[in-house]
Amino acid sequence: MIIKLATIFKTPGYMISLAALLCYSWSILHDFDETVATECEVPNLLPSFSAATGDFLPQRYVWRLLTGAATPAILAIACFTYRVLLLHSFSVITSLLAIVSKVLWVTGLFLLTLCGSTELFEVHAIGFSVYSISATLDVVLLSQRMLSGATLAATPDKRGIPYVAVCVISLLGAILTYLIHNTYCIPGVYTLFGFFEILLIGSNICLHMCYFNGMPDVTVCVE
């Protein structure tokens, strides 16, 4: 069986996207009141990422199963990225920064997946912070490599710029709305926080899909 390398690389993104879609859909349809509730007791229209994926069943198991299965593949892609950067004569430091940012956001994602906000909140919060910051850095670095042509396609690609803008704005928006909600308990602010979370994760996935779509038609033979 012949499989495109780009298809293999996009599989973890498909798995995480499917997990998020299933968890959010189930939470909104079956656990809406519980997932949008916060300590402020103000009305909200959208559950947070943590509530949708880790606080209730069966969402928790769906998210952990699919994300856990995708994690080794993402780490393998990180190693592959390191080799590609070295082939394009990037310095070892630059190459290591690229792989470290990817490993960090995978680690953060694994932590917040393993420990729900209602189980070990401190560990979950650390995992989400590590994921958010390192994922944003990874998006910026990947877009820069696409612009410089340091990919398998070896041609400059500007398609990553909008995703970088969305990712950075989402990170800042999530921090700001979280602080405002916890400080002033304004109705609807936590809805914006949940929306920024979705944009942050979605922009990361979309940029990587865009990157893999630009790969040449390298195939792998599976027997």
Side-chain angles (χ1 to χ4, degrees):
M1 180 171 59
I2 305 297
I3 304 176
K4 288 186 177 181
L5 188 62
T7 301
I8 297 176
F9 282 4
K10 286 188 288 186
T11 300
Y14 290 139
M15 295 172 68
I16 293 176
S17 299
L18 176 61
L21 178 62
L22 291 175
C23 289
Y24 271 99
S25 299
W26 188 276
S27 296
I28 292 174
L29 292 175
H30 299 283
D31 300 307
F32 181 77
D33 291 337
E34 293 82 0
T35 53
V36 299
T38 66
E39 293 182 356
C40 286
E41 298 183 351
V42 294
N44 296 292
L45 302 176
L46 190 68
S48 68
F49 171 82
S50 302
T53 62
D55 289 352
F56 300 94
L57 301 178
Q59 300 96 301
R60 181 187 302 169
Y61 294 139
V62 170
W63 177 256
R64 289 180 179 179
L65 175 64
L66 292 175
T67 304
T71 298
I74 299 174
L75 293 175
I77 292 172
C79 296
F80 177 82
T81 300
Y82 177 74
R83 297 297 301 172
V84 169
L85 291 178
L86 292 180
L87 288 174
H88 282 82
S89 300
F90 274 66
S91 67
V92 174
I93 295 178
T94 302
S95 303
L96 284 176
L97 181 60
I99 191 174
V100 167
S101 65
K102 197 174 295 293
V103 170
L104 278 177
W105 77 251
V106 173
T107 303
L109 183 65
F110 183 76
L111 279 178
L112 67 90
T113 297
L114 188 64
C115 303
S117 59
T118 57
E119 298 171 316
L120 294 172
F121 177 77
E122 291 78 9
V123 177
H124 180 86
I126 291 173
F128 188 79
S129 299
V130 170
Y131 168 79
S132 301
I133 296 172
S134 56
T136 303
L137 175 61
D138 184 50
V139 164
V140 172
L141 293 173
L142 178 55
S143 179
Q144 188 274 331
R145 295 198 301 273
M146 292 172 68
L147 283 172
S148 64
T151 64
L152 284 180
T155 56
D157 190 342
K158 298 181 180 180
R159 292 178 298 169
I161 296 177
Y163 299 115
V164 173
V166 172
C167 190
V168 173
I169 292 173
S170 299
L171 175 63
L172 297 177
I175 295 173
L176 181 62
T177 51
Y178 183 82
L179 292 176
I180 292 175
H181 171 76
N182 284 354
T183 303
Y184 302 106
C185 291
I186 301 175
V189 172
Y190 206 71
T191 299
L192 291 176
F193 171 70
F195 179 68
F196 282 128
E197 284 186 308
I198 295 175
L199 287 181
L200 179 65
I201 297 171
S203 60
N204 188 350
I205 294 175
C206 288
L207 177 61
H208 281 81
M209 293 296 187
C210 183
Y211 168 66
F212 295 140
N213 283 334
M215 295 174 62
D217 291 332
V218 179
T219 58
V220 177
C221 181
V222 181
E223 296 182 356

